[in-house]
Coordinates of all heavy atoms in Angstrom, one line a residue:
M1 N -18.1 -95.7 -51.5 CA -16.7 -96.1 -51.8 C -15.8 -95.1 -51.2 O -16.1 -93.9 -51.2 CB -16.5 -96.3 -53.3 CG -17.2 -97.4 -53.9 SD -16.7 -99.0 -53.3 CE -15.1 -99.1 -53.9
P2 N -14.7 -95.6 -50.7 CA -13.7 -94.6 -50.1 C -13.1 -93.7 -51.2 O -12.8 -94.2 -52.3 CB -12.6 -95.5 -49.5 CG -12.9 -96.9 -49.9 CD -14.2 -96.9 -50.6
T3 N -13.1 -92.5 -51.0 CA -12.5 -91.6 -51.9 C -11.5 -90.7 -51.1 O -11.5 -90.6 -49.9 CB -13.5 -90.7 -52.6 OG1 -14.3 -90.0 -51.6 CG2 -14.4 -91.5 -53.5
K4 N -10.7 -90.0 -51.9 CA -9.8 -89.1 -51.3 C -10.6 -88.0 -50.5 O -11.4 -87.4 -51.1 CB -8.9 -88.5 -52.3 CG -7.4 -88.7 -52.1 CD -6.6 -88.0 -53.2 CE -5.1 -88.0 -52.9 NZ -4.4 -87.3 -53.9
Q5 N -10.2 -87.8 -49.3 CA -11.0 -86.9 -48.5 C -10.1 -85.9 -47.8 O -9.1 -86.4 -47.2 CB -11.9 -87.6 -47.5 CG -12.9 -86.8 -46.8 CD -13.9 -87.6 -46.1 OE1 -13.9 -88.9 -46.2 NE2 -14.8 -87.0 -45.4
V6 N -10.4 -84.7 -47.8 CA -9.7 -83.7 -47.0 C -10.0 -83.8 -45.6 O -11.2 -84.0 -45.2 CB -9.9 -82.3 -47.6 CG1 -9.2 -81.2 -46.7 CG2 -9.4 -82.1 -49.0
C7 N -9.0 -83.7 -44.7 CA -9.3 -83.7 -43.3 C -10.3 -82.6 -42.9 O -10.1 -81.4 -43.2 CB -8.0 -83.5 -42.5 SG -8.2 -83.3 -40.8
P8 N -11.4 -83.0 -42.2 CA -12.4 -82.0 -41.9 C -11.9 -81.1 -40.7 O -12.5 -80.1 -40.4 CB -13.6 -82.9 -41.5 CG -13.0 -84.2 -41.0 CD -11.7 -84.4 -41.8
R9 N -10.9 -81.6 -40.0 CA -10.5 -80.8 -38.8 C -9.6 -79.7 -39.2 O -9.8 -78.5 -38.7 CB -9.8 -81.7 -37.8 CG -9.4 -81.0 -36.5 CD -8.7 -81.9 -35.5 NE -9.6 -82.4 -34.5 CZ -9.3 -83.3 -33.6 NH1 -8.1 -83.8 -33.7 NH2 -10.1 -83.6 -32.7
C10 N -8.6 -79.9 -40.0 CA -7.6 -78.9 -40.3 C -7.7 -78.4 -41.7 O -7.3 -77.3 -42.1 CB -6.2 -79.3 -40.0 SG -5.6 -80.6 -41.1
G11 N -8.2 -79.3 -42.6 CA -8.4 -78.9 -44.0 C -7.0 -78.7 -44.7 O -7.0 -78.2 -45.8
Q12 N -5.9 -79.3 -44.1 CA -4.6 -79.0 -44.7 C -4.1 -80.2 -45.4 O -3.0 -80.1 -46.1 CB -3.6 -78.7 -43.5 CG -4.0 -77.4 -42.8 CD -3.9 -76.2 -43.6 OE1 -2.9 -76.0 -44.3 NE2 -5.0 -75.5 -43.7
D13 N -4.7 -81.4 -45.3 CA -4.1 -82.6 -45.9 C -5.2 -83.6 -46.2 O -6.3 -83.5 -45.6 CB -3.1 -83.2 -44.9 CG -2.2 -84.2 -45.6 OD1 -2.3 -84.4 -46.9 OD2 -1.4 -84.9 -44.9
W14 N -4.9 -84.5 -47.1 CA -5.8 -85.7 -47.2 C -5.7 -86.6 -46.0 O -4.7 -86.6 -45.3 CB -5.4 -86.5 -48.5 CG -5.3 -85.7 -49.7 CD1 -4.1 -85.4 -50.3 CD2 -6.3 -85.1 -50.5 NE1 -4.4 -84.6 -51.5 CE2 -5.7 -84.5 -51.6 CE3 -7.7 -85.1 -50.4 CZ2 -6.5 -83.8 -52.6 CZ3 -8.5 -84.4 -51.4 CH2 -7.9 -83.8 -52.4
I15 N -6.7 -87.3 -45.8 CA -6.6 -88.4 -44.8 C -6.1 -89.6 -45.5 O -6.6 -89.9 -46.6 CB -7.9 -88.6 -44.0 CG1 -9.0 -88.9 -44.9 CG2 -8.2 -87.4 -43.1 CD1 -10.3 -89.4 -44.2
H16 N -5.2 -90.3 -44.9 CA -4.5 -91.4 -45.5 C -4.9 -92.7 -44.7 O -5.0 -92.7 -43.5 CB -3.0 -91.2 -45.4 CG -2.5 -90.0 -46.1 ND1 -2.5 -89.8 -47.4 CD2 -2.2 -88.8 -45.5 CE1 -2.0 -88.6 -47.7 NE2 -1.9 -87.9 -46.5
P17 N -5.0 -93.8 -45.5 CA -5.2 -95.1 -44.8 C -3.9 -95.6 -44.1 O -2.8 -95.6 -44.8 CB -5.6 -96.1 -46.0 CG -5.0 -95.5 -47.2 CD -5.0 -94.0 -47.0
Y18 N -4.0 -95.9 -42.9 CA -2.9 -96.4 -42.1 C -3.3 -97.6 -41.3 O -4.5 -98.0 -41.3 CB -2.4 -95.3 -41.1 CG -1.4 -94.4 -41.5 CD1 -1.7 -93.4 -42.4 CD2 -0.1 -94.5 -41.1 CE1 -0.7 -92.5 -42.9 CE2 0.9 -93.7 -41.5 CZ 0.6 -92.7 -42.4 OH 1.6 -91.8 -42.9
R19 N -2.3 -98.3 -40.8 CA -2.6 -99.5 -39.9 C -1.6 -99.6 -38.8 O -0.4 -99.1 -39.0 CB -2.7 -100.8 -40.7 CG -1.4 -101.2 -41.3 CD -1.5 -102.4 -42.2 NE -0.3 -102.6 -43.0 CZ -0.3 -103.2 -44.2 NH1 -1.4 -103.6 -44.8 NH2 0.8 -103.3 -44.9
F20 N -2.0 -100.2 -37.7 CA -1.0 -100.5 -36.7 C -0.2 -101.7 -37.1 O -0.8 -102.7 -37.5 CB -1.8 -100.8 -35.4 CG -2.2 -99.6 -34.6 CD1 -3.5 -99.1 -34.8 CD2 -1.3 -98.9 -33.9 CE1 -3.9 -98.0 -34.1 CE2 -1.7 -97.7 -33.2 CZ -3.0 -97.3 -33.3
R21 N 1.1 -101.6 -36.9 CA 2.0 -102.8 -37.3 C 1.7 -104.0 -36.4 O 1.8 -105.1 -36.8 CB 3.4 -102.4 -37.1 CG 4.0 -101.4 -38.1 CD 5.4 -101.1 -37.9 NE 6.0 -100.2 -38.9 CZ 6.5 -100.7 -40.0 NH1 6.5 -102.0 -40.3 NH2 7.0 -99.9 -40.9
A22 N 1.3 -103.7 -35.1 CA 1.2 -104.8 -34.2 C 0.1 -105.8 -34.6 O 0.3 -107.0 -34.5 CB 0.9 -104.3 -32.8
D23 N -1.1 -105.3 -35.0 CA -2.2 -106.2 -35.3 C -3.0 -105.9 -36.5 O -4.0 -106.5 -36.8 CB -3.2 -106.2 -34.1 CG -3.7 -104.8 -33.8 OD1 -3.5 -103.9 -34.6 OD2 -4.4 -104.7 -32.8
G24 N -2.5 -104.9 -37.3 CA -3.1 -104.6 -38.6 C -4.4 -103.8 -38.5 O -5.1 -103.7 -39.5
T25 N -4.7 -103.3 -37.3 CA -5.9 -102.5 -37.2 C -5.8 -101.3 -38.1 O -4.8 -100.6 -38.0 CB -6.1 -102.1 -35.8 OG1 -6.2 -103.2 -34.9 CG2 -7.4 -101.3 -35.6
T26 N -6.8 -101.1 -38.9 CA -6.7 -100.0 -39.9 C -7.5 -98.8 -39.4 O -8.5 -98.9 -38.7 CB -7.3 -100.5 -41.2 OG1 -8.6 -101.0 -41.0 CG2 -6.4 -101.5 -41.9
F27 N -7.0 -97.6 -39.9 CA -7.7 -96.4 -39.6 C -7.3 -95.3 -40.6 O -6.4 -95.6 -41.4 CB -7.2 -95.9 -38.2 CG -5.7 -95.8 -38.0 CD1 -5.1 -94.6 -38.2 CD2 -5.0 -96.9 -37.6 CE1 -3.7 -94.5 -38.0 CE2 -3.6 -96.9 -37.4 CZ -3.0 -95.7 -37.6
S28 N -7.9 -94.2 -40.5 CA -7.6 -93.1 -41.4 C -6.9 -92.1 -40.6 O -7.3 -91.8 -39.5 CB -8.9 -92.5 -42.1 OG -9.5 -93.5 -42.8
L29 N -5.9 -91.5 -41.2 CA -5.1 -90.5 -40.4 C -4.8 -89.3 -41.2 O -4.4 -89.4 -42.4 CB -3.7 -91.2 -40.0 CG -2.7 -90.3 -39.3 CD1 -3.3 -90.1 -37.8 CD2 -1.4 -91.0 -39.2
C30 N -4.9 -88.1 -40.6 CA -4.4 -86.9 -41.1 C -3.1 -86.7 -40.6 O -2.9 -86.5 -39.3 CB -5.3 -85.7 -40.8 SG -4.6 -84.1 -41.3
T31 N -2.0 -86.7 -41.4 CA -0.7 -86.5 -40.9 C -0.3 -85.1 -40.6 O 0.7 -84.8 -40.0 CB 0.3 -87.1 -41.9 OG1 0.1 -86.4 -43.2 CG2 0.1 -88.5 -42.2
E32 N -1.3 -84.2 -40.9 CA -1.0 -82.8 -40.6 C -1.4 -82.4 -39.1 O -0.7 -81.8 -38.4 CB -1.9 -81.9 -41.6 CG -1.4 -80.5 -41.6 CD 0.0 -80.3 -42.2 OE1 0.3 -81.1 -43.1 OE2 0.7 -79.5 -41.8
C33 N -2.6 -82.9 -38.7 CA -3.0 -82.6 -37.4 C -3.2 -83.8 -36.5 O -3.7 -83.7 -35.3 CB -4.3 -81.8 -37.4 SG -5.7 -82.7 -38.0
D34 N -2.8 -85.0 -37.0 CA -2.8 -86.2 -36.2 C -4.2 -86.7 -35.8 O -4.4 -87.3 -34.8 CB -1.9 -86.1 -34.9 CG -0.5 -85.9 -35.3 OD1 -0.1 -85.9 -36.5 OD2 0.3 -85.8 -34.4
S35 N -5.2 -86.3 -36.6 CA -6.5 -86.7 -36.3 C -6.7 -88.2 -36.9 O -6.1 -88.5 -37.9 CB -7.6 -85.8 -37.0 OG -7.6 -84.6 -36.4
L36 N -7.4 -89.0 -36.1 CA -7.6 -90.4 -36.5 C -9.0 -90.8 -36.5 O -9.8 -90.3 -35.6 CB -6.8 -91.2 -35.4 CG -6.8 -92.7 -35.5 CD1 -5.5 -93.3 -34.8 CD2 -8.0 -93.4 -34.9
W37 N -9.4 -91.6 -37.5 CA -10.7 -92.2 -37.5 C -10.6 -93.6 -37.8 O -9.8 -94.0 -38.7 CB -11.6 -91.6 -38.6 CG -11.9 -90.1 -38.4 CD1 -13.0 -89.6 -37.9 CD2 -11.1 -89.0 -38.8 NE1 -13.0 -88.2 -37.9 CE2 -11.8 -87.8 -38.4 CE3 -9.9 -88.8 -39.5 CZ2 -11.3 -86.5 -38.7 CZ3 -9.4 -87.6 -39.7 CH2 -10.1 -86.4 -39.3
W38 N -11.3 -94.4 -37.1 CA -11.3 -95.9 -37.4 C -12.0 -96.1 -38.7 O -12.9 -95.4 -39.1 CB -12.0 -96.7 -36.3 CG -11.4 -96.5 -35.0 CD1 -11.9 -96.0 -33.8 CD2 -10.1 -96.9 -34.6 NE1 -11.0 -96.0 -32.8 CE2 -9.9 -96.6 -33.3 CE3 -9.0 -97.5 -35.3 CZ2 -8.7 -96.8 -32.6 CZ3 -7.8 -97.8 -34.6 CH2 -7.7 -97.4 -33.3
L39 N -11.5 -97.1 -39.4 CA -12.1 -97.4 -40.7 C -13.6 -97.7 -40.6 O -14.0 -98.4 -39.7 CB -11.4 -98.6 -41.4 CG -11.0 -98.3 -42.9 CD1 -10.0 -97.2 -43.0 CD2 -10.4 -99.6 -43.5
G40 N -14.4 -97.1 -41.4 CA -15.8 -97.4 -41.4 C -16.6 -96.3 -40.6 O -17.8 -96.2 -40.7
E41 N -15.8 -95.5 -39.8 CA -16.5 -94.4 -39.1 C -16.6 -93.2 -40.1 O -15.9 -93.0 -41.0 CB -15.6 -93.9 -38.0 CG -15.8 -94.6 -36.7 CD -15.0 -93.9 -35.6 OE1 -14.0 -93.3 -35.8 OE2 -15.5 -94.1 -34.4
A42 N -17.7 -92.5 -39.8 CA -17.8 -91.2 -40.6 C -16.7 -90.3 -40.2 O -16.3 -90.1 -39.0 CB -19.1 -90.6 -40.2
V43 N -16.0 -89.8 -41.2 CA -14.9 -88.8 -41.0 C -15.5 -87.5 -40.7 O -15.8 -86.7 -41.6 CB -14.0 -88.8 -42.2 CG1 -12.8 -87.9 -42.0 CG2 -13.4 -90.2 -42.4
E44 N -15.7 -87.2 -39.5 CA -16.3 -85.9 -39.0 C -15.5 -85.4 -37.9 O -14.9 -86.2 -37.1 CB -17.7 -86.1 -38.5 CG -18.6 -86.8 -39.5 CD -20.0 -87.2 -38.9 OE1 -20.0 -87.3 -37.6 OE2 -20.9 -87.4 -39.6
V45 N -15.5 -84.1 -37.7 CA -14.7 -83.5 -36.6 C -15.2 -84.1 -35.3 O -14.4 -84.4 -34.4 CB -14.9 -82.0 -36.7 CG1 -14.2 -81.3 -35.4 CG2 -14.3 -81.4 -37.9
A46 N -16.5 -84.2 -35.2 CA -17.0 -84.7 -33.9 C -16.6 -86.1 -33.5 O -16.5 -86.5 -32.4 CB -18.6 -84.7 -33.9
R47 N -16.2 -86.9 -34.5 CA -15.7 -88.3 -34.3 C -14.2 -88.4 -34.3 O -13.7 -89.5 -34.1 CB -16.3 -89.2 -35.3 CG -17.8 -89.4 -35.2 CD -18.4 -90.2 -36.3 NE -19.8 -90.4 -36.3 CZ -20.4 -91.4 -35.5 NH1 -19.6 -92.2 -34.8 NH2 -21.7 -91.5 -35.5
A48 N -13.5 -87.3 -34.6 CA -12.1 -87.4 -34.7 C -11.4 -87.8 -33.4 O -11.8 -87.3 -32.3 CB -11.5 -86.1 -35.2
K49 N -10.5 -88.7 -33.4 CA -9.7 -89.1 -32.3 C -8.3 -88.5 -32.5 O -8.0 -88.1 -33.6 CB -9.6 -90.6 -32.1 CG -11.0 -91.2 -31.7 CD -10.9 -92.7 -31.7 CE -12.2 -93.2 -31.3 NZ -13.4 -92.8 -32.2
F50 N -7.5 -88.5 -31.5 CA -6.2 -88.0 -31.6 C -5.2 -89.1 -31.6 O -5.3 -90.0 -30.7 CB -5.9 -87.0 -30.4 CG -5.0 -85.9 -30.8 CD1 -5.3 -85.1 -31.9 CD2 -3.9 -85.5 -30.0 CE1 -4.4 -84.1 -32.2 CE2 -3.1 -84.5 -30.3 CZ -3.3 -83.7 -31.4
L51 N -4.3 -89.1 -32.5 CA -3.4 -90.3 -32.7 C -2.7 -90.6 -31.3 O -2.5 -91.7 -30.9 CB -2.4 -90.0 -33.8 CG -1.3 -91.1 -34.0 CD1 -2.0 -92.4 -34.4 CD2 -0.3 -90.7 -35.1
D52 N -2.2 -89.5 -30.7 CA -1.5 -89.7 -29.4 C -2.3 -90.4 -28.4 O -1.8 -91.3 -27.7 CB -1.0 -88.4 -28.9 CG 0.3 -87.9 -29.5 OD1 0.8 -88.6 -30.4 OD2 0.7 -86.8 -29.1
D53 N -3.6 -90.1 -28.3 CA -4.5 -90.7 -27.3 C -4.7 -92.2 -27.6 O -4.6 -93.0 -26.7 CB -5.9 -90.0 -27.4 CG -5.8 -88.6 -26.9 OD1 -4.8 -88.3 -26.2 OD2 -6.7 -87.8 -27.1
V54 N -4.9 -92.5 -28.9 CA -5.1 -93.9 -29.3 C -3.8 -94.7 -29.0 O -3.9 -95.8 -28.5 CB -5.5 -94.0 -30.8 CG1 -5.5 -95.4 -31.2 CG2 -6.8 -93.3 -31.0
V55 N -2.7 -94.1 -29.4 CA -1.4 -94.8 -29.2 C -1.2 -95.0 -27.7 O -0.7 -96.1 -27.2 CB -0.2 -94.1 -29.8 CG1 1.1 -94.6 -29.3 CG2 -0.3 -94.1 -31.3
A56 N -1.5 -94.0 -26.9 CA -1.3 -94.1 -25.4 C -2.2 -95.3 -24.9 O -1.7 -96.0 -24.0 CB -1.7 -92.8 -24.7
E57 N -3.4 -95.4 -25.4 CA -4.3 -96.4 -24.9 C -3.7 -97.8 -25.3 O -3.7 -98.7 -24.5 CB -5.6 -96.3 -25.6 CG -6.6 -95.4 -24.9 CD -7.9 -95.3 -25.7 OE1 -8.3 -96.3 -26.4 OE2 -8.6 -94.3 -25.6
R58 N -3.2 -97.9 -26.5 CA -2.8 -99.2 -27.0 C -1.4 -99.6 -26.4 O -1.2 -100.8 -26.1 CB -2.6 -99.1 -28.5 CG -4.0 -99.0 -29.2 CD -3.8 -98.9 -30.7 NE -3.2 -100.2 -31.3 CZ -4.0 -101.2 -31.8 NH1 -5.3 -101.0 -31.8 NH2 -3.5 -102.3 -32.2
L59 N -0.5 -98.6 -26.2 CA 0.8 -99.0 -25.7 C 0.8 -98.9 -24.2 O 1.7 -99.5 -23.6 CB 1.9 -98.0 -26.3 CG 2.0 -98.1 -27.8 CD1 3.1 -97.2 -28.3 CD2 2.2 -99.5 -28.4
G60 N -0.1 -98.1 -23.6 CA -0.2 -98.0 -22.2 C 1.1 -97.5 -21.5 O 1.4 -97.8 -20.4
V61 N 1.7 -96.6 -22.2 CA 2.9 -95.9 -21.6 C 2.5 -94.6 -21.0 O 1.9 -93.8 -21.6 CB 4.0 -95.7 -22.7 CG1 5.2 -95.1 -22.1 CG2 4.3 -97.0 -23.4
E62 N 3.0 -94.4 -19.8 CA 2.7 -93.2 -19.1 C 3.7 -92.1 -19.6 O 4.8 -92.4 -20.0 CB 2.7 -93.3 -17.6 CG 1.6 -94.2 -17.1 CD 1.4 -94.1 -15.6 OE1 1.9 -93.2 -15.0 OE2 0.9 -95.1 -15.1
G63 N 3.2 -90.9 -19.4 CA 4.1 -89.8 -19.9 C 4.0 -89.6 -21.4 O 3.0 -89.2 -21.9
S64 N 5.0 -90.0 -22.0 CA 5.0 -90.0 -23.5 C 4.2 -91.2 -24.0 O 4.6 -92.3 -23.7 CB 6.4 -90.0 -24.1 OG 6.3 -90.4 -25.5
P65 N 3.2 -90.9 -24.8 CA 2.4 -92.1 -25.3 C 3.3 -93.0 -26.2 O 3.0 -94.2 -26.3 CB 1.3 -91.4 -26.1 CG 1.8 -90.0 -26.4 CD 2.7 -89.7 -25.3
W66 N 4.3 -92.4 -26.7 CA 5.1 -93.2 -27.7 C 6.2 -94.0 -27.0 O 6.8 -94.9 -27.6 CB 5.6 -92.3 -28.8 CG 4.5 -91.7 -29.6 CD1 3.9 -90.5 -29.3 CD2 3.9 -92.2 -30.8 NE1 2.9 -90.3 -30.2 CE2 2.9 -91.3 -31.1 CE3 4.2 -93.3 -31.5 CZ2 2.1 -91.5 -32.3 CZ3 3.4 -93.5 -32.7 CH2 2.4 -92.6 -33.0
G67 N 6.6 -93.6 -25.8 CA 7.6 -94.3 -25.1 C 8.9 -94.5 -25.9 O 9.5 -95.5 -25.9
G68 N 9.3 -93.4 -26.6 CA 10.5 -93.5 -27.3 C 10.4 -94.0 -28.7 O 11.3 -94.0 -29.5
L69 N 9.2 -94.5 -29.1 CA 9.0 -95.0 -30.4 C 8.7 -93.9 -31.4 O 8.3 -92.8 -30.9 CB 7.8 -96.0 -30.4 CG 8.0 -97.3 -29.6 CD1 6.7 -98.1 -29.5 CD2 9.1 -98.1 -30.1
V70 N 8.8 -94.1 -32.6 CA 8.4 -93.2 -33.6 C 7.3 -93.7 -34.4 O 7.0 -94.9 -34.3 CB 9.6 -92.8 -34.5 CG1 10.7 -92.1 -33.7 CG2 10.1 -94.0 -35.3
W71 N 6.7 -92.9 -35.2 CA 5.5 -93.3 -36.0 C 5.8 -94.6 -36.7 O 5.0 -95.6 -36.7 CB 5.2 -92.3 -37.0 CG 4.3 -91.2 -36.6 CD1 4.2 -90.7 -35.3 CD2 3.3 -90.5 -37.3 NE1 3.3 -89.7 -35.2 CE2 2.7 -89.5 -36.5 CE3 3.0 -90.5 -38.7 CZ2 1.7 -88.7 -36.9 CZ3 2.0 -89.6 -39.1 CH2 1.4 -88.7 -38.3
A72 N 6.9 -94.7 -37.4 CA 7.2 -95.9 -38.2 C 7.3 -97.2 -37.4 O 7.2 -98.2 -38.0 CB 8.4 -95.6 -39.1
D73 N 7.6 -97.1 -36.1 CA 7.6 -98.3 -35.3 C 6.3 -98.8 -35.0 O 6.1 -100.0 -34.7 CB 8.3 -97.9 -34.0 CG 9.8 -97.6 -34.1 OD1 10.4 -98.2 -35.0 OD2 10.3 -96.8 -33.4
V74 N 5.3 -97.9 -35.0 CA 4.0 -98.3 -34.5 C 2.9 -98.4 -35.6 O 2.1 -99.3 -35.6 CB 3.5 -97.2 -33.5 CG1 2.1 -97.5 -32.9 CG2 4.5 -97.1 -32.4
I75 N 3.0 -97.5 -36.5 CA 2.0 -97.4 -37.6 C 2.7 -97.4 -39.0 O 3.8 -97.0 -39.1 CB 1.0 -96.3 -37.5 CG1 1.8 -94.9 -37.5 CG2 0.3 -96.4 -36.1 CD1 0.9 -93.7 -37.5
E76 N 1.9 -97.8 -40.0 CA 2.5 -97.7 -41.3 C 1.4 -97.4 -42.3 O 0.2 -97.8 -42.1 CB 3.2 -99.0 -41.7 CG 2.2 -100.2 -41.7 CD 3.0 -101.5 -42.0 OE1 4.2 -101.4 -42.3 OE2 2.3 -102.5 -42.0
P77 N 1.7 -96.6 -43.4 CA 0.7 -96.4 -44.4 C 0.3 -97.7 -45.1 O 1.2 -98.6 -45.3 CB 1.3 -95.4 -45.3 CG 2.8 -95.5 -45.1 CD 3.0 -96.0 -43.7
I78 N -0.9 -97.8 -45.5 CA -1.4 -99.0 -46.3 C -1.1 -98.7 -47.7 O -1.7 -97.7 -48.3 CB -2.9 -99.3 -46.0 CG1 -3.1 -99.5 -44.6 CG2 -3.3 -100.4 -46.9 CD1 -4.6 -99.7 -44.2
P79 N -0.3 -99.5 -48.4 CA 0.0 -99.2 -49.8 C -1.2 -99.6 -50.7 O -2.0 -100.5 -50.3 CB 1.2 -100.1 -50.1 CG 1.2 -101.2 -49.0 CD 0.4 -100.6 -47.8
G80 N -1.3 -99.0 -51.8 CA -2.2 -99.5 -52.8 C -3.6 -99.0 -52.6 O -4.6 -99.6 -53.1
H81 N -3.8 -98.0 -51.7 CA -5.2 -97.5 -51.5 C -5.2 -96.0 -51.9 O -5.9 -95.2 -51.3 CB -5.5 -97.6 -50.0 CG -5.9 -99.0 -49.6 ND1 -5.1 -100.0 -49.6 CD2 -7.1 -99.5 -49.2 CE1 -5.7 -101.1 -49.2 NE2 -6.9 -100.8 -49.0
G82 N -4.6 -95.7 -53.0 CA -4.6 -94.4 -53.5 C -3.7 -93.5 -52.6 O -2.9 -94.0 -51.9
G83 N -4.0 -92.2 -52.6 CA -3.2 -91.3 -51.8 C -1.9 -91.0 -52.4 O -1.1 -90.3 -52.0
Ligands
ZN1 ZN1 -6.0 -82.7 -40.2

């Protein structure tokens, strides 16, 4: 069962359930170091992705991966999952 878990990369924050607004794809995110894990993946340093990289892939914007967007435009925390 999912439990509150400290980010294994930075150890500074819990990882929080998030999702992409566009299609509802869910993932776990450390808001401290921007590490991302897809839901169901083992939350390990070796498997950690970087939020910027994932956003760049999804949005396909060169230069700035966010293309002028901010977090709240692209992703949102999932309510009701603790945290
Ligand atoms: Zn972290």
